[in-house]
């Protein structure tokens, strides 16, 4: 037991240290302030709309707009924060040569990476909690009912970010500067959101009967199966305006969480594989 | 450990995670496919249960196979559900499988059971056929169902990023709102449709859209005289300019209901705001308000249902409803008033029925018995109306007392006095003005009393009947409900 605690202790200290470092990053704070401003501003934007009464029903059009704007804002700024933090936690330490000091201690590379990865996740979770919290309060003030479905939406958003974070982290482990992994992170997010296109390519292939056409189709199909598909997390936008106790939603949420965890492990394995060969 | 072994181990582990990811991805894909099928089933189930009988078909709907596919699904589903004791009780052998399935879909309690049917391997063939038809554009009610739309019309870049589609719908709605404030109603309609096409779950758009159509667009329009109205095959009704907007509002709300069958506000607006308030069609108002109370709703929805039941002449049901409401919310100030109203109406109706039966009765003894019982009921009704007037301060009580008095005078052949009492009654309760006026005309005609100019006009309007341009001889060939 003490060995396990000893093993976990190292990554945990590194994670806490990474988290503290992350809080000092001006870019992240900037993104966070911007997102909070947009979420806060969404309530003003909807004041241009007049509340309309249909029969006895007061329709909350502005509530719907606030929900959509806030979920989108959390997605955009959240993914930017995720990419920036995941792309920089390791390269910055390589650039500043802090990594040499850390690795000279009785910490294995596996533990170091785990600590860094967990630290990045702590920052992402904290940012999501801040954005989601403000959104939660804004919604509660408007509708006077606890918006529990929003929590599920934010929860799913985190797991979508987890995939992007893990894969960006893997690229970051191969780089000594954070610029390349940041670009790669954006690329991962865009391609991850476009994986659904590959299915479309597969569905349309084979129409000419040419070998190359069919080959491209099969290739697209294999890639569609292997690559993480972030479009599957679009449930997060659907869920905020839907009704509770919806069978497909209830079934999808745990499946999506498992899906994200599997790809997060893949990302971490790639990161470790690259990092253990790296000369530092 | 040997470097190669570690590399091999990592490689195997990596491949394993990707394989697991792929398997999990396929599982999610399967659930999403089932979700499309499930949403489509809900839409068609709602259509079959609520709208199908009241809508006429045109050639444009022939290319769609929704109903055939639904029937096929229903047959398999019924075979599966027969083994489920809880559901089997709900299945009526006299109804077709489609009707039974649509009834089950209409009940929220069976959502998870329907989901089990949708995901079951037994229904795989129909599910595949659905996707084939969806790709071929043969599915009418699958076009706007979230993912299904993205699948059917190809992948859309806006669909993929950040859920921009919903934001776009919101921004378009801001434009609709701008047009509304500028009074450009005709520009609003296509934009409203775009809004709900982008986001079929945008319930507020359906609600406000229908409100604009049924209320605001028609606010300054004059009433079209009956003979100038045109017959609409689609709606099975005579339409003037106002009515055209009402029915556009109805269509808009029905579209919303198909996509959001668990949203009480849509049923409520259809039943209360349009059918009750605009078309005075209490039968349909009751139908949709009954649907509204089947899903989670606000407490005032029930009140409107009971009021519509009363207006539709279903006093027993209305009374039962109000009594139940009173038990749930004892502090409600209006329930006692409506309980009295319905009790009074029930007694009056009973008396009326007994008198009608008595007039056909051959045996004098039986006739006397029935007349005496009718008098008893009338007395009870009078007591209730008195209570309503004195305890609840409801002018309706006074009106009913006067009305009953006028009817007694009329039965005794004292027409002039009956007319005088009815004239007083109609001013006591303006909401019942038409009922009293109609009775005055009837009594005057029967008693040979000259009609006023406005009464003569009313008689002429009635003589023209409900006919409008292009109206077939048997317009009610389609069940209106």
């Amino acid at each position: 037991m003490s060995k396990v605690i000893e093993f976990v202790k190292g990554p945990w200290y590194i994670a806490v240290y990474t988290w503290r470092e992350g809080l000092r990053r001006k870019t992240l704070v900037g993104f966070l302030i911007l997102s909070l401003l947009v979420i806060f501003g969404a309530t003003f934007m909807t004041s241009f709309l007049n509340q309309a009464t249909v029969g006895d029903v007061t329709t909350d059009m502005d509530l719907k707009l606030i929900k959509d704007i806030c979920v989108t804002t959390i997605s955009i700024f959240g993914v930017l924060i995720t990419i920036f933090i995941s792309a920089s936690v390791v390269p910055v330490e390589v650039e500043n040569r802090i990594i040499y000091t850390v690795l000279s201690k009785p910490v294995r590379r596996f533990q170091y990476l785990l600590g860094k990865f967990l630290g990045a996740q702590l920052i992402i979770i904290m940012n999501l909690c801040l954005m989601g919290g403000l959104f939660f309060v804004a919604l509660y003030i408007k509708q006077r009912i606890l918006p529990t479905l929003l929590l599920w939406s934010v929860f799913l958003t985190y797991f979508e970010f987890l995939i992007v974070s893990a894969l960006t982290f893997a690229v970051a482990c191969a780089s000594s500067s954070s610029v390349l992994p940041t670009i790669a992170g954006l690329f991962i997010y865009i391609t991850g959101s476009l994986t659904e296109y590959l299915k479309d390519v597969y569905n349309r292939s084979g129409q000419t009967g040419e070998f190359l056409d069919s080959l491209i189709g099969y290739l697209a199909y294999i890639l569609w199966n292997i690559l993480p598909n972030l479009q599957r997390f679009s449930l997060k936008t659907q869920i905020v305006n839907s009704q509770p106790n919806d069978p497909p939603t209830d079934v999808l949420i745990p499946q999506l969480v498992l899906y994200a965890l599997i790809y997060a492990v893949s990302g971490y394995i790639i990161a470790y594989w690259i990092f253990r060969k790296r000369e530092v | 450990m040997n470097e190669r072994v570690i590399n091999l181990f990592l490689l195997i582990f990596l491949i394993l995670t990707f394989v697991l990811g792929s398997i999990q991805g396929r599982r999610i894909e399967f659930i999403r496919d089932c979700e499309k099928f499930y949403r489509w089933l809900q839409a068609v189930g709602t259509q079959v249960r609520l709208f199908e009988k009241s809508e006429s078909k045109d050639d444009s709907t022939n290319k769609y196979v929704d109903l055939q596919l639904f029937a096929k699904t229903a047959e398999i589903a019924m075979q599966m559900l027969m083994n489920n004791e809880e559901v089997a009780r709900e299945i009526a052998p006299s109804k077709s499988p489609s009707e039974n399935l649509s009834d089950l879909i209409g009940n929220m309690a069976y959502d998870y059971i329907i989901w089990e049917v949708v995901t079951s391997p037994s229904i795989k063939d129909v599910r595949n056929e659905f996707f084939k038809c969806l790709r071929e554009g043969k599915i009418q009610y699958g076009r706007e169902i979230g993912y299904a739309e993205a699948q059917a019309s190809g992948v859309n870049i806006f669909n993929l990023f950040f859920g921009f589609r919903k934001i776009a719908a919101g921004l378009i709605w801001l434009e609709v709102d701008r047009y509304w404030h500028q009074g450009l109603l005709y520009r609003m309609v296509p934009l409203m449709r775009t809004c709900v096409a982008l986001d079929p779950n945008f319930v507020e758009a359906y609600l406000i859209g229908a409100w604009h159509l049924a209320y605001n667009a028609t606010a300054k329009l004059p009433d079209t005289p009956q003979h100038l109205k045109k017959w609409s095959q689609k709606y099975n009704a005579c339409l003037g300019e106002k009515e055209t907007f009402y029915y556009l509002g109805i269509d808009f709300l029905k579209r919303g209901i198909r996509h959001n069958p668990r949203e009480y506000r849509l049923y409520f607006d259809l039943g209360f705001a349009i059918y009750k308030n605009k078309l005075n069609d209490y039968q349909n108002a009751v139908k949709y308000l009954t649907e509204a109370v089947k899903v989670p709703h606000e407490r005032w929805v029930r009140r409107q249902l009971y009021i519509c039941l009363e207006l539709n002449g279903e006093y027993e049901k209305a009374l039962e409803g109000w009594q139940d409401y009173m038990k749930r919310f004892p502090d409600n100030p209006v329930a006692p008033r409506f309980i009295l109203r319905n009790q009074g109406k029930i007694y009056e109706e009973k008396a009326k029925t007994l008198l009608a039966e008595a007039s056909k009765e051959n045996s004098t003894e039986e006739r006397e018995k029935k007349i005496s019982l009718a008098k008893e009921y009338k007395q009870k009704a009078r007591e209730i109306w008195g209570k309503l007037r004195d305890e609840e301060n409801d002018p309706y009580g006074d009106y009913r007392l006067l009305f009953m008095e006028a009817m007694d005078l009329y039965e005794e052949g004292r027409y002039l006095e009956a007319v005088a009492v009815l004239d007083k009654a109609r001013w006591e309760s303006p909401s019942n003005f038409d009922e009293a006026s109609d009775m005055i005309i009837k009594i005057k005609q029967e008693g040979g009393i000259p009609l006023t100019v406005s009464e003569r006009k009313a008689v002429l309007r009635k003589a023209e009947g409900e006919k409008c341009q292009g109206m077939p001889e048997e317009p009610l060939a389609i069940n209106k409900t």
Side-chain angles (χ1 to χ4, degrees):
Chain A
M1 190 64 188
S2 61
K3 274 187 179 178
V4 176
I5 294 170
E6 203 61 37
F7 183 80
V8 175
K9 237 182 190 177
W12 177 246
Y13 286 139
I14 294 168
V16 173
Y17 166 75
T18 311
W19 180 61
R20 279 185 195 150
E21 274 290 297
L23 293 184
R24 291 187 204 118
R25 294 264 168 83
K26 282 175 188 154
T27 332
L28 296 184
V29 175
F31 278 143
L32 188 64
I33 291 171
L34 262 177
S35 64
L36 296 181
L37 277 176
V38 176
I39 292 170
F40 188 59
T43 50
F44 288 107
M45 194 176 166
T46 54
S47 63
F48 292 112
L49 277 172
N50 285 357
Q51 281 229 331
T53 306
V54 188
D56 278 348
V57 186
T58 305
T59 50
D60 295 316
M61 182 64 77
D62 50 351
L63 202 67
K64 146 96 177 139
L65 283 175
I66 290 173
K67 282 180 186 174
D68 288 342
I69 293 171
C70 291
V71 169
T72 308
T73 307
I74 290 176
S75 285
I76 295 171
F77 287 102
V79 84
L80 288 175
I81 290 170
T82 302
I83 290 169
F84 274 92
I85 195 70
S86 309
S88 61
V89 278
V90 174
V92 164
E93 296 225 329
V94 176
E95 258 180 66
N96 298 342
R97 297 175 187 277
I98 300 169
I99 194 166
Y100 299 107
T101 328
V102 179
L103 289 180
S104 62
K105 303 271 187 272
V107 175
R108 293 164 71 180
R109 287 187 179 209
F110 178 80
Q111 287 171 296
Y112 171 76
L113 268 194
L114 189 64
K116 283 282 153 191
F117 187 66
L118 288 178
Q121 297 316 307
L122 281 178
I123 297 168
I124 295 164
I125 289 170
M126 190 201 69
N127 281 305
L128 262 178
C129 285
L130 278 173
M131 290 190 282
L134 187 68
F135 181 16
F136 191 88
V137 171
L139 269 187
Y140 180 70
I141 290 170
K142 277 271 172 193
Q143 63 180 12
R144 294 279 162 200
I145 302 165
L146 284 179
T148 42
L149 286 173
L150 165 73
L151 297 177
W152 286 111
S153 172
V154 175
F155 180 71
L156 272 182
T157 309
Y158 168 69
F159 282 96
E160 182 186 7
F161 292 167
L162 181 65
I163 297 179
V164 179
S165 169
L167 296 175
T168 311
F169 187 72
V171 180
C173 286
S175 171
S176 50
S177 132
S178 58
V179 180
L180 177 75
T182 305
I183 297 167
L186 288 169
F187 181 75
I188 287 165
Y189 184 64
I190 293 167
T191 45
S193 299
L194 293 173
T195 312
E196 200 72 24
Y197 264 125
L198 293 168
K199 196 183 174 190
D200 222 32
V201 171
Y202 170 68
N203 284 338
R204 287 168 195 213
S205 67
Q207 287 175 0
T208 57
E210 285 179 21
F211 171 72
L212 200 64
D213 187 17
S214 305
L215 185 74
I216 289 172
Y218 285 120
L219 206 64
Y221 186 70
I222 292 167
L223 285 173
W224 175 70
N225 270 298
I226 293 172
L227 294 178
N229 185 347
L230 300 179
Q231 177 60 18
R232 286 176 180 149
F233 289 86
S234 62
L235 184 71
K236 68 180 192 285
T237 55
Q238 194 182 317
I239 200 173
V240 258
N241 290 309
S242 67
Q243 299 267 340
N245 302 324
D246 182 44
T249 309
D250 293 351
V251 175
L252 264 172
I253 291 173
Q255 300 292 343
L256 284 168
V257 170
L258 187 60
Y259 183 70
L261 287 174
I262 291 170
Y263 277 103
V265 173
S266 313
Y268 184 75
I269 292 170
I270 298 171
Y272 176 63
W273 205 356
I274 294 167
F275 193 68
R276 68 184 293 275
K277 285 185 178 175
R278 199 167 162 182
E279 285 186 15
V280 279
Chain B
M1 213 186 291
N2 190 327
E3 188 70 12
R4 277 189 180 178
V5 175
I6 293 173
N7 281 344
L8 189 68
F9 178 72
L10 283 173
L11 182 68
I12 291 169
F13 203 45
L14 186 64
I15 291 171
L16 193 70
T17 53
F18 272 103
V19 170
L20 280 176
S22 172
I23 293 168
Q24 184 61 13
R26 295 302 293 261
R27 196 185 290 178
I28 290 170
E29 203 61 27
F30 170 73
I31 297 169
R32 277 180 50 180
D33 280 349
C34 289
E35 187 195 357
K36 286 169 218 161
F37 188 59
Y38 175 78
R39 305 265 181 240
W40 169 80
L41 266 189
Q42 276 196 327
V44 186
T46 310
Q47 173 70 21
V48 170
R49 193 166 54 89
L50 298 175
F51 313 135
E52 193 58 21
K53 285 177 187 165
S54 61
E55 286 176 2
S56 59
K57 300 280 164 285
D58 55 30
D59 293 339
S60 65
T61 54
N62 288 343
K63 64 173 181 176
Y64 298 119
V65 295
D66 297 64
L67 295 178
Q68 292 94 305
L69 209 56
F70 185 76
K72 222 184 247 187
T73 312
E75 269 178 38
I76 301 170
M78 285 307 117
Q79 283 168 10
M80 287 169 66
L81 294 173
M82 279 297 178
N83 304 325
N84 186 323
E85 276 181 29
E86 191 191 346
V87 181
R89 280 199 300 268
E90 300 285 322
I91 298 171
S94 56
K95 286 184 179 176
S96 70
S98 288
E99 285 172 321
N100 274 319
L101 182 62
S102 63
D103 286 348
L104 290 176
I105 287 171
N107 190 338
M108 261 183 94
Y110 299 128
D111 277 359
Y112 284 89
I113 292 169
I114 300 292
W115 174 250
E116 270 175 38
V117 170
V118 164
T119 50
S120 130
S122 324
I123 218 147
K124 192 182 167 193
D125 291 340
V126 187
R127 220 169 37 220
N128 290 341
E129 198 180 335
F130 163 74
F131 286 109
K132 189 173 164 272
C133 294
L134 190 66
R135 278 193 294 273
E136 290 167 1
K138 289 180 184 171
I139 299 291
Q140 188 178 6
Y141 303 119
R143 289 175 158 197
E144 292 164 1
I145 301 171
Y147 296 128
E149 189 186 22
Q151 292 294 310
S153 58
V155 182
N156 182 317
I157 198 103
F158 284 102
N159 253 348
L160 298 176
F161 282 102
F162 318 125
F164 268 178
R165 228 171 101 206
K166 285 178 188 285
I167 282 278
L171 294 175
I172 290 175
W173 191 263
L174 289 177
E175 202 62 10
V176 172
D177 195 64
R178 195 167 65 85
Y179 283 146
W180 153 237
H181 289 291
Q182 290 173 349
L184 302 167
L185 288 167
Y186 283 89
R187 283 198 188 178
M188 287 164 56
V189 179
L191 277 188
M192 285 180 336
R193 290 197 177 125
T194 313
C195 260
V196 295
L198 281 167
D199 184 359
N201 305 114
F202 197 166
V203 174
E204 289 78 8
Y206 294 110
L207 295 174
I208 299 182
W211 173 60
H212 281 317
L213 288 166
Y215 283 75
N216 303 324
T218 57
K220 287 180 182 171
L221 292 178
D223 286 330
T224 312
Q226 186 67 18
H227 67 281
L228 291 178
K229 286 180 184 172
K230 286 178 183 163
W231 177 255
S232 162
Q233 186 65 37
K234 187 182 173 194
Y235 301 118
N236 198 40
C238 293
L239 303 186
E241 207 174 354
K242 269 189 176 180
E243 288 77 10
T244 308
F245 279 104
Y246 297 156
Y247 279 97
L248 279 175
I250 288 173
D251 279 350
F252 204 53
L253 283 173
K254 281 183 175 177
R255 186 173 169 176
I257 288 172
R258 274 193 290 267
H259 295 307
N260 307 277
R262 304 284 176 253
E263 183 56 66
Y264 84 91
R265 289 179 293 172
L266 294 165
Y267 295 109
F268 181 81
D269 272 26
L270 188 56
F272 169 76
I274 304 190
Y275 277 118
K276 181 195 173 223
N277 280 358
K278 289 292 171 185
L279 293 168
N280 299 327
D281 180 349
Y282 304 121
Q283 197 183 347
N284 273 315
V286 166
K287 177 180 169 182
Y288 293 110
L289 288 170
T290 309
E291 291 299 322
V293 299
K294 282 183 189 168
V295 288
H297 57 275
E298 297 284 346
R299 57 195 275 187
W300 34 261
V301 178
R302 279 186 182 273
R303 295 206 294 267
Q304 278 307 326
L305 169 64
Y306 305 143
I307 289 171
C308 286
L309 278 169
E310 185 192 328
L311 289 168
N312 201 35
E314 298 174 64
Y315 307 118
E316 301 273 358
K317 280 187 187 172
L319 178 64
E320 212 175 288
W322 279 116
Q323 281 168 339
D324 177 57
Y325 191 83
M326 191 67 188
K327 270 184 210 157
R328 288 180 195 215
F329 310 107
D331 58 329
N332 188 271
V334 296
R337 196 152 55 90
F338 281 97
I339 287 174
L340 286 176
R341 278 172 75 129
N342 284 292
Q343 280 174 339
K345 285 295 242 180
I346 289 168
Y347 282 128
E348 271 197 50
E349 283 299 309
K350 279 183 180 171
K352 211 170 152 184
T353 318
L354 280 168
L355 286 174
E357 282 172 11
S359 66
K360 289 174 194 165
E361 194 64 61
N362 295 327
S363 143
T364 324
E365 196 187 336
E366 265 312 298
R367 190 164 59 234
E368 288 302 320
K369 210 170 152 188
K370 281 187 175 167
I371 289 172
S372 144
L373 195 59
K375 275 184 184 167
E376 220 172 276
Y377 282 140
K378 273 189 181 180
Q379 189 48 41
K380 277 184 182 170
R382 278 201 180 88
E383 279 166 20
I384 287 170
W385 297 135
K387 205 172 163 189
L388 186 67
R389 180 189 58 190
D390 302 332
E391 289 180 14
E392 301 291 333
N393 281 329
D394 189 346
Y396 188 71
D398 218 6
Y399 166 78
R400 287 315 302 176
L401 280 172
L402 288 168
F403 193 90
M404 286 181 78
E405 189 188 336
M407 287 302 98
D408 288 345
L409 291 166
Y410 164 62
E411 277 161 24
E412 287 167 26
R414 295 156 68 183
Y415 299 123
L416 269 175
E417 285 163 87
V419 168
V421 173
L422 276 172
D423 192 41
K424 183 174 185 278
R426 66 180 173 179
W427 295 108
E428 286 293 329
S429 173
S431 57
N432 301 92
F433 194 91
D434 289 344
E435 187 194 10
S437 299
D438 287 347
M439 191 47 80
I440 288 175
I441 294 172
K442 192 184 164 193
I443 295 171
K444 278 185 174 179
Q445 281 177 328
E446 217 171 300
I449 303 164
L451 298 174
T452 62
V453 176
S454 59
E455 283 165 353
R456 264 186 245 160
K457 277 185 180 174
V459 172
L460 277 172
R461 272 200 303 273
K462 215 166 230 177
E464 278 177 13
E466 296 294 308
K467 286 268 177 192
C468 62
Q469 291 177 18
M471 190 175 178
E473 284 305 309
E474 288 180 26
L476 295 175
I478 301 167
N479 184 354
K480 208 179 175 190
T481 58

